[in-house]
Amino acid sequence: INLMTAAALIALHADPTLDLEAKIFDPLHKLRSQFQQKIAESPLLGSMTEASGPVWEQSVASLLCSFMMAANFRGCERTNSSYYRADNSLMHRVLETGVGIPITLSLTYMSVA
């Protein structure tokens, strides 16, 4: 099973009325499209391909970090009350707030890249 699909199903379990397309998959698609545009506009990356190997991968990773920070994605506070807050584990809430625990942020980054 796709990891993002699994995360979406967890969110659906928490909120059975959740529209997965509107709240999870569409926002991810929008972020992915915006990131692909950033790659195309990049003077360095626009002229490279994945075949360029590690240099390309490192450059994309660096651009992704900058892009996600500019989109206001960040880790939750390092307190028990914040870390264990359900919203930080539910993908639709992470996409709405930009705040999540490491695994939900990692899934978001992987889905965007």
Side-chain angles (χ1 to χ4, degrees):
I1 186 168
N2 175 288
L3 291 177
M4 186 52 73
T5 301
L9 292 174
I10 291 169
L12 185 62
H13 180 73
D15 179 359
T17 65
L18 183 64
D19 180 345
L20 296 180
E21 281 300 316
K23 295 293 187 173
I24 296 176
F25 296 113
D26 288 347
L28 280 173
H29 178 73
K30 182 179 176 184
L31 283 169
R32 187 178 310 115
S33 294
Q34 292 170 341
F35 182 63
Q36 292 301 320
Q37 184 63 35
K38 289 285 186 193
I39 290 174
E41 293 170 355
S42 168
L44 175 65
L45 291 170
S47 63
M48 297 174 75
T49 66
E50 289 184 52
S52 301
V55 172
W56 185 84
E57 291 172 3
Q58 291 170 358
S59 299
V60 169
S62 178
L63 183 62
L64 178 63
C65 288
S66 297
F67 173 78
M68 295 301 280
M69 287 188 335
N72 210 24
F73 281 85
R74 62 202 178 283
C76 62
E77 296 174 13
R78 294 182 179 185
T79 63
N80 280 349
S81 62
S82 179
Y83 187 85
Y84 292 106
R85 187 174 303 134
D87 281 0
N88 295 331
S89 298
L90 301 172
M91 283 310 304
H92 65 295
R93 295 295 298 143
V94 171
L95 291 167
E96 288 172 7
T97 65
V99 178
I101 59 174
I103 190 69
T104 53
L105 290 174
S106 294
L107 282 173
T108 304
Y109 277 52
M110 287 171 48
S111 296
V112 170

